[in-house]
Amino acid sequence: MTQDRRPTADTPSGRRLGLIWVFAPLAGALVVLAVIFHIRGWGSIPGGSCGTRAQACTDGTGTLIVLGFVCTFVGLITLILVLAVLVKRGFGVAHLIALPLAGAVLIVWPGWQFAQWLRGPMLDIAWTTPVDRPKEARVQGLWVTDDGTVVRGRPDALVAHDPRGGERRWSVDAPVRMSLCSMSDTVSQGIALVAYARHEKPCESVAAIDTDSGRTLWKKTVDADDLRFARPQGGRVAIDGGTAVVATKDGARAFGLRDGKPRWSYRLDDDCEQALVSAAGGRTRIVEVCDPLGASKVTARVLTLDSGDGKKLRRHDLPTETSLSELDVISADPFVIRVTESDERGLDAVLAFGEDGVEPVVVKRIGTDEELALGTAESRLPAQAGLKALVHKNTLIAATQTTGEDVPQQVSAYSLRDGARQWRVKVADSWGAGVGSLAVADGRIGVYVDDRRVLSLDPRTGAKQHDHGAVIDEVGLEIGSDVQLLAGPGDGWTLVNPDSGDYPPLLGLTPKD
């Protein structure tokens, strides 16, 4: 009679053999986790390198790579020991394969999901548009229609792109021997305004464009002059409901937005010059600077007109005494402007105009512990490139920098009811990286950081949707500086390169699996 020499479960050898049934699947699971962590870890390094000003790493890149090596060594050593014991105990090939394989199969799905969560969010460049020709082409302004179509204004043309794939929907060339010199800052009823000028001539040819088709609805020529503070987008032509407002040499004229019929006109005082116009919410605002002969100071003021009939409703004298060195519209509704006097001890602030008759709320550009990064006339680019301040629901949200920072690494929010700061959050961690641009998308504030990250902030609290934001997985493709972030379809984003002759004009970003 043959005696069974295999150890029973209650003997020391039996208990050790019982552990094999645990460690064999565990070894298989560790080896698979090592593979997953290596794939996710090394695959989360865009272009092969990160952690610099030019390219950030995802939140969990380092952790994934470390875990990948740990699981590699521990898993392989455990697997070798387990297989050696199984062979010594006389187990067949089926057991040698089945036990580790069982653990490997069971861990694949949860391990992949855990690695994705640990890695942090990433964005794929889903599509790009071809580089513009001629190479000198530069974005003058942007419109975004109700269906998300992005319309770029170049000196020589308007070009509309589909927001889901970047395909060109339509284009309109500038008139012969003319260049685009101004665009309205908004679109209303599917119509926007554009102005053209001949070489070294005033910006006086105005046209209304149907943004669905690119069709020109009407054209007008006005008696225009150079406006010192008007930018290619904003300050010269504006839209409010069904009214088109155009700055003229001596004031402003209004036309029917759809038919171009004259509606009203406004004439400045003789000692005043037009600075810029803005219109929204049933109100047209004209900022003018008056310097009467022999006067002891220069007067700057905001005139509020009814957009429907041009009736003068209100006048606000700005708290300035010298000429202005900076004047810019941050928001048309509510009306928010940035004003800087030439006097270095004069006004340098953001002014928010609320209800008619109420004095504007003042937010100083330089406070005791931070500075609003609004740029200067020399550094600001045309259009919305690098937009670092916006208004969302009576809140000014701006890129800011604190003492010791060379670039803005914070985003702060200020109430436009009392000027008090509501929150401040640091969004840039890499040395030298700063806030590139801001955008509003579906109730969230999008922040593009120039180390290739996009964050989503809660506009009420500043809370980050993710710890450090979604990293753009950029491989072999350059993104220019001063790009503008726009909301894209779903949870995606669109980047607009102002230097469209050197880089793809548009890049579509989608969340990476």
Side-chain angles (χ1 to χ4, degrees):
M1 184 175 66
T2 303
Q3 184 177 0
D4 187 359
R5 298 181 179 275
R6 286 181 297 179
T8 60
D10 58 349
T11 65
S13 297
R15 287 194 294 270
R16 286 195 297 271
L17 188 58
L19 292 176
I20 295 300
W21 294 86
V22 176
F23 280 98
L26 177 62
L30 287 173
V31 171
V32 169
L33 284 177
V35 174
I36 292 174
F37 291 153
H38 279 298
I39 292 174
R40 286 296 198 178
W42 296 106
S44 65
I45 301 179
S49 65
C50 63
T52 66
R53 179 194 179 279
Q55 181 65 70
C57 296
T58 60
D59 297 345
T61 297
T63 302
L64 283 170
I65 292 175
V66 170
L67 286 176
F69 281 111
V70 170
C71 289
T72 298
F73 291 118
V74 176
L76 288 176
I77 292 173
T78 304
L79 182 62
I80 292 171
L81 293 176
V82 165
L83 292 179
V85 172
L86 290 176
V87 171
K88 183 177 180 181
R89 295 297 179 181
F91 285 84
V93 175
H95 287 87
L96 297 179
I97 297 176
L99 290 176
L101 183 61
V105 171
L106 290 174
I107 203 63
V108 169
W109 175 250
W112 189 264
Q113 296 302 312
F114 173 72
Q116 180 172 330
W117 171 82
L118 191 62
R119 179 199 67 186
M122 294 189 74
L123 292 168
D124 268 329
I125 298 179
W127 54 264
T128 63
T129 54
V131 175
D132 276 339
R133 288 293 179 265
K135 186 177 180 180
E136 294 75 20
R138 186 169 178 78
V139 175
Q140 295 283 83
L142 296 171
W143 295 323
V144 180
T145 66
D146 290 341
D147 66 354
T149 298
V150 179
V151 183
R152 296 184 301 123
R154 304 178 353 178
D156 61 341
L158 292 167
V159 185
H161 298 271
D162 185 281
R164 291 166 180 80
E167 295 84 2
R168 180 176 294 195
R169 286 187 169 178
W170 54 261
S171 63
V172 178
D173 290 337
V176 177
R177 304 192 70 83
M178 285 190 174
S179 297
L180 185 151
C181 54
S182 184
M183 298 170 62
S184 59
D185 53 4
T186 58
V187 176
S188 177
Q189 303 175 10
I191 303 173
L193 291 183
V194 65
Y196 302 99
R198 292 178 64 88
H199 180 62
E200 295 184 350
K201 297 294 182 180
C203 194
E204 59 185 12
S205 180
V206 181
I209 305 295
D210 183 327
T211 57
D212 290 332
S213 63
R215 185 168 58 96
T216 299
L217 301 180
W218 52 264
K219 296 179 180 180
K220 297 289 181 182
T221 300
V222 298
D223 186 13
D225 200 355
D226 291 331
L227 299 184
R228 179 183 174 191
F229 297 106
R231 300 175 66 189
Q233 183 158 24
R236 184 178 294 277
V237 291
I239 295 174
D240 184 13
T243 302
V245 182
V246 182
T248 63
K249 187 175 183 178
D250 57 2
R253 293 181 65 187
F255 303 92
L257 180 60
R258 190 164 295 277
D259 56 19
K261 292 182 179 180
R263 291 198 172 176
W264 52 263
S265 63
Y266 174 81
R267 183 178 178 84
L268 299 173
D269 293 341
D270 292 338
D271 295 321
C272 301
E273 65 176 356
Q274 180 88 280
L276 53 82
V277 298
S278 179
R283 299 289 184 264
T284 293
R285 266 83 179 209
I286 299 176
V287 182
E288 58 183 21
V289 179
C290 305
D291 188 11
L293 184 65
S296 60
K297 64 180 182 179
V298 177
T299 301
R301 59 198 187 194
V302 175
L303 301 175
T304 301
L305 312 180
D306 186 300
S307 296
D309 57 16
K311 181 180 178 182
K312 186 174 178 180
L313 301 176
R314 188 72 54 182
R315 165 180 158 175
H316 276 107
D317 290 336
L318 301 182
T320 59
E321 296 184 1
T322 58
S323 60
L324 305 184
S325 61
E326 299 281 350
L327 178 63
D328 198 14
V329 177
I330 296 176
S331 169
D333 187 20
F335 187 58
V336 181
I337 57 176
R338 181 261 181 99
V339 180
T340 303
E341 276 188 85
S342 56
D343 180 357
E344 64 178 15
R345 292 294 298 150
L347 182 67
D348 185 4
V350 172
L351 276 64
F353 295 79
E355 299 178 4
D356 292 340
V358 178
E359 289 301 308
V361 173
V362 178
V363 179
K364 292 183 178 180
R365 188 178 68 85
I366 301 178
T368 56
D369 61 346
E370 73 175 3
E371 175 182 343
L372 303 183
L374 303 178
T376 64
E378 290 75 21
S379 67
R380 288 199 306 273
L381 294 170
Q384 303 176 33
L387 183 69
K388 293 182 174 64
L390 53 84
V391 173
H392 177 66
K393 294 184 178 180
N394 267 329
T395 302
L396 172 68
I397 299 174
T400 56
Q401 60 191 86
T402 56
T403 303
E405 292 178 353
D406 295 327
V407 293
Q409 294 191 319
Q410 327 273 339
V411 175
S412 300
Y414 289 84
S415 170
L416 295 182
R417 293 183 175 87
D418 56 13
R421 189 174 67 202
Q422 296 178 321
W423 51 261
R424 180 174 67 192
V425 60
K426 187 169 185 178
V427 296
D429 299 317
S430 303
W431 179 85
V435 177
S437 62
L438 304 174
V440 177
D442 297 328
R444 56 191 169 130
I445 303 300
V447 184
Y448 174 74
V449 183
D450 54 21
D451 59 4
R452 308 296 194 260
R453 286 182 297 125
V454 179
L455 293 87
S456 293
L457 304 181
D458 185 325
R460 296 171 301 173
T461 64
K464 300 176 185 177
Q465 185 174 346
H466 301 288
D467 288 345
H468 294 89
V471 174
I472 299 173
D473 191 1
E474 177 192 6
V475 180
L477 181 66
E478 285 295 325
I479 299 175
S481 59
D482 294 302
V483 297
Q484 177 57 42
L485 180 70
L486 300 176
D491 292 331
W493 302 92
T494 300
L495 288 181
V496 182
N497 275 311
D499 292 318
S500 53
D502 295 322
Y503 304 104
L506 299 180
L507 302 94
L509 308 178
T510 57
K512 185 174 183 177
D513 294 333

